[in-house]
Amino acid sequence: MRPRIMEIGGRYNWSGQPERLIYLGKNWSGNGDWHQFALVSDPDKVWCELLDSDLGSIEETKPVDQHRIDLPPPAPRKAKKDKSISPRQERKQRKAAKRAQQREGQ
């Protein structure tokens, strides 16, 4: 990142890391200017400070939809047989058909 394009309140993260940061701005300390960042979960507390030379380690957080991985569409499902009768009714019908066959055989 370049300091000129960073916005106070902007969302950033370490490259390849899960921590999401909010840019608080640049602050002068006894040993130089430091870019201050807070965690998104605790925006009122400075979580880390970076020098200009360290800004290459962070990137602007992309919106969620840009992180989405495009997967191939799911395979079409086979149509299920329309069962209008319950399994219990189906068993009863098989038993009745079996009895009918037995009667015919006598």
Side-chain angles (χ1 to χ4, degrees):
M1 290 291 340
R2 289 181 286 167
R4 284 181 272 163
I5 60 172
M6 295 182 67
E7 297 178 19
I8 293 176
R11 304 289 175 109
Y12 300 90
N13 59 280
W14 291 98
S15 298
Q17 296 297 315
E19 291 85 16
R20 299 296 178 243
L21 309 171
I22 298 174
Y23 182 55
L24 300 176
K26 201 168 187 179
N27 187 36
W28 170 256
S29 181
N31 55 355
D33 283 321
W34 293 85
H35 294 276
Q36 295 183 331
F37 294 87
L39 288 173
V40 169
S41 59
D42 191 6
D44 299 324
K45 186 177 179 183
V46 174
W47 185 73
C48 69
E49 295 180 310
L50 298 174
L51 294 170
D52 286 343
S53 59
D54 297 324
L55 291 178
S57 301
I58 64 167
E59 60 190 11
E60 189 170 5
T61 300
K62 297 174 184 164
V64 175
D65 63 334
Q66 290 184 10
H67 286 291
R68 186 187 72 207
I69 299 172
D70 290 328
L71 299 174
R77 294 184 178 192
K78 293 181 181 178
K80 292 183 179 180
K81 292 182 181 179
D82 182 28
K83 292 188 176 184
S84 57
I85 60 171
S86 71
R88 184 175 180 185
Q89 290 172 328
E90 190 176 341
R91 283 192 304 271
K92 284 183 175 181
Q93 286 179 354
R94 274 190 265 135
K95 281 184 179 180
K98 189 174 181 181
R99 278 190 230 123
Q101 284 177 345
Q102 288 174 347
R103 282 187 216 136
E104 288 175 13
Q106 290 179 354

